[in-house]
Amino acid sequence: MELWLTILALFVFTGVSLWILEHKFNKAFRGRPSGYLGLIFYIPFMSLVFAHREKIVTNLARVVVVVWIFVVLVLTSTYTASLSARLTTFKLQQGDTDVNTLIRNGDYVGCREGTFLAEFLRRLGFHESKIRIYKHPEEFDDALSKGSENGGVTAIFSSTPYADLFLSKYCSKYMKFGSPYLTAGFAFGFPKGSPLVGDVSSAITKLTDSHKIAEIKAHWIRKSGCNEDDDPSKVGWTNIGLKSFKVLFVVTGSVTGAAVLLFLASFLYQHRVRVREIYDSDNTFWLKMRAFGNLFDEKDPDFFPESAIEMGLLPGHSNRQVMLDNMQVVHNNKRVMVRAFSIN
């Protein structure tokens, strides 16, 4: 939830920043105030599919768009890879289908020496020539690394305690899949009338009731430093969180915020005289804010030449004032011609 809220906040922040950076210079970012909200959400959203048609005219806004598109690429690539891993894991967890596939493909499988598993695999349908026997965990690792094509095996069948012990050492390379098969478990055999029967049974009961067995398992299985996050079967959608993109979001927010601050600083410096006049006026706070808003809403004459005559400015001449005295207006159907004389 934190990740989605952060993405939504960055989404809105990027849209507002683009509107601030482009409003004075870009016709596509102007219009009625009711349309501003839609535009703020429209531009970042369309960037997800790289389909926005609005032309970006300022360099600061271009920087923001490039950074945002980079974020979009990282997010979409990460979620696509995560979904693929999740689907792959789900497929691997279909144990019955995988066993049938191993038999059908003629893959080699392995088991531990001195156990009943070799006979169990034959009953499952594996040919005796496809079963390879190993003794040490290192041999299991070597066989799995080679694969069936290179003299190894595709899968290892083992009892749960030995499998957990093996994965505690090689947790980053292999995973368990499928549901456990219910087979005969471990037992202790004693001669009839042995006095050890009661003592052993009581000791096992005490270990079970006190959860000591769980502590022993946790000690021996996790002593190698492996944890659940290293299990390839658990790599998927749930591992994607805010921490995964923390640096990316910080860099994106910093670049976007710096672009907005740089633009506002430049805007206030260029209009410092009018800003000072508004600030020093005797108007109320809300009237001053409205005056600042009107100042920000004015079109930039360098990007809107038609607004220069309306403002009494001459574009292309460093915004020198023009004198509209002796102005001659000639009506010719729907056209209006204005003649102005510039002064230094």
Side-chain angles (χ1 to χ4, degrees):
M1 181 60 68
E2 293 180 352
L3 176 61
W4 287 106
L5 292 177
T6 304
I7 293 175
L8 180 61
L10 188 63
F11 185 91
V12 176
F13 179 59
T14 301
V16 173
S17 301
L18 287 175
W19 181 84
I20 293 174
L21 296 174
E22 289 286 303
H23 179 69
K24 290 181 64 66
F25 315 101
N26 196 333
K27 185 178 180 180
F29 286 79
R30 301 190 66 86
R32 297 181 179 180
S34 59
Y36 296 160
L37 184 62
L39 189 63
I40 288 173
F41 284 93
Y42 170 77
I43 297 298
F45 178 78
M46 295 307 293
S47 297
L48 297 175
V49 292
F50 312 103
H52 64 88
R53 300 179 180 179
E54 285 69 18
K55 182 180 179 181
I56 304 299
V57 299
T58 62
N59 291 329
L60 290 176
R62 291 179 182 133
V63 172
V64 172
V65 170
V66 169
V67 173
W68 172 248
I69 292 179
F70 176 75
V71 172
V72 170
L73 285 173
V74 172
L75 290 176
T76 53
S77 300
T78 302
Y79 275 98
T80 300
S82 176
L83 181 59
S84 299
R86 189 177 182 88
L87 295 176
T88 301
T89 301
F90 176 78
K91 183 178 179 180
L92 289 174
Q93 290 173 346
Q94 307 305 310
D96 295 337
T97 302
D98 284 333
V99 170
N100 294 331
T101 302
L102 292 173
I103 298 174
R104 184 171 56 254
N105 294 340
D107 292 326
Y108 288 90
V109 295
C111 64
R112 186 179 179 84
E113 181 184 7
T115 64
F116 65 94
L117 289 175
E119 179 61 27
F120 177 75
L121 293 176
R122 284 192 288 269
R123 291 201 303 266
L124 283 179
F126 288 97
H127 193 272
E128 187 173 358
S129 62
K130 298 296 182 181
I131 301 174
R132 291 175 173 171
I133 309 299
Y134 300 100
K135 184 176 182 180
H136 302 291
E138 293 76 13
E139 296 176 341
F140 288 166
D141 175 46
D142 182 65
L144 288 170
S145 300
K146 291 180 178 179
S148 296
E149 298 82 3
N150 300 312
V153 295
T154 302
I156 291 289
F157 287 80
S158 177
S159 57
T160 300
Y162 292 114
D164 290 340
L165 189 61
F166 174 77
L167 291 176
S168 69
K169 185 176 181 180
Y170 301 101
C171 52
S172 61
K173 299 176 63 176
Y174 310 111
M175 58 173 283
K176 292 190 295 184
F177 68 90
S179 301
Y181 290 96
L182 298 178
T183 60
F186 292 96
F188 295 93
F190 299 97
K192 289 183 178 182
S194 174
L196 297 176
V197 174
D199 295 336
V200 172
S201 298
S202 298
I204 294 175
T205 302
K206 289 180 180 180
L207 289 175
T208 304
D209 293 342
S210 63
H211 304 287
K212 192 68 176 179
I213 290 181
E215 295 179 7
I216 295 175
K217 179 181 178 181
H219 171 74
W220 288 103
I221 297 302
R222 298 183 181 179
K223 69 177 184 177
S224 64
C226 295
N227 51 55
E228 291 184 354
D229 294 335
D230 297 321
D231 188 352
S233 66
K234 293 181 172 60
V235 176
W237 193 280
T238 56
N239 283 347
I240 298 179
L242 182 59
K243 293 182 179 180
S244 303
F245 303 100
K246 186 176 181 180
V247 176
L248 178 66
F249 288 159
V250 169
V251 173
T252 303
S254 300
V255 172
T256 304
V260 173
L261 291 177
L262 183 61
F263 166 76
L264 293 177
S266 176
F267 170 77
L268 294 176
Y269 178 78
Q270 292 178 359
H271 300 83
R272 57 188 179 278
V273 176
R274 295 182 62 183
V275 170
R276 175 60 63 179
E277 291 177 354
I278 296 174
Y279 181 79
D280 293 337
S281 64
D282 297 331
N283 294 328
T284 63
F285 173 79
W286 294 111
L287 289 177
K288 290 181 180 180
M289 293 301 297
R290 183 176 181 180
F292 278 121
N294 292 333
L295 176 62
F296 179 78
D297 190 55
E298 292 179 358
K299 300 178 181 179
D300 189 289
D302 290 334
F303 289 84
F304 295 92
E306 68 277 4
S307 66
I309 298 299
E310 300 175 3
M311 299 172 57
L313 301 176
L314 186 62
H317 292 77
S318 302
N319 291 336
R320 292 180 296 176
Q321 289 189 345
V322 299
M323 184 173 62
L324 300 181
D325 296 336
N326 300 322
M327 183 171 59
Q328 180 180 359
V329 181
V330 180
H331 294 271
N332 182 10
N333 294 333
K334 296 182 180 180
R335 294 186 300 172
V336 178
M337 301 176 59
V338 178
R339 179 179 299 173
F341 304 92
S342 65
I343 59 173
N344 294 324

